[in-house]
Amino acid sequence: MEIQVLESVTTSSDRFRFSLGLLAEAPSKAAAMALLNQRLDRARQELGPFVLDALSIPAPRSYSYGSGSSSSRKLERATTRIGGEVSRDNYDALIQLAGRLPGVRLQGMTSLASSSGGAALDDQLLKRALNKGRRRANDTASALGLGRVDLLRINQRSGVVRPVAYAEARMSKPAFRSDEAPKPQRSLTLGLDYCLR
């Protein structure tokens, strides 16, 4: 008998991973890259006090857009991303800062599971999934008039689902609150093979 069991639990969050898009436009590729570098330097300085660890910045991309006609002039666009982690206390401050920096666009804030208790949570999920699988196998064996259930194989897949945090500013409190962000969810899927006899 094959049984598929899914268990999931919402976990506490103590930090967030952010992703910012950085953009610069100019008539030439060199000018676009120079402007992108200026904006990147400013972003590094402004973000520094809020970031928990080092920033992650991939190599920039550049491309042309526009037709070059009188109604749409041809421009060069240079882009990159800035990624990092921020604490709960600096959640709103980083969102507000991203809104003030030129050429910066907030692409997402992702809740990250608290580092404490992760192993205990995994153990709890495993026990719950095994117990659920055993109950289903015993119920099936009982319905068939069989008295013995042996577990033959376990195929385990686990993961952490980190939903992107969206929040709305309230008129009375014009701030994004970290406690309103969706909490991360840890999940475990077990494929269980039983021999019923």
Side-chain angles (χ1 to χ4, degrees), residues 9 80 99 105 135 156 172 186 191:
V9 65
T80 190
R105 182 169 46 94
R135 278 195 309 274
Q156 177 178 337
S172 59
R186 194 176 291 263

Side-chain angles (χ1 to χ4, degrees), residues 8 31 35 58 113 115 129 162 165 189:
S8 62
L35 181 57
S115 51
R162 299 182 178 112
T189 301

Side-chain angles (χ1 to χ4, degrees), residues 36-52:
L36 185 72
N37 283 331
Q38 289 174 9
R39 290 180 171 177
L40 182 57
D41 284 344
R42 179 174 174 191
R44 280 189 186 115
Q45 291 172 9
E46 299 270 352
L47 291 169
F50 302 105
V51 178
L52 291 175

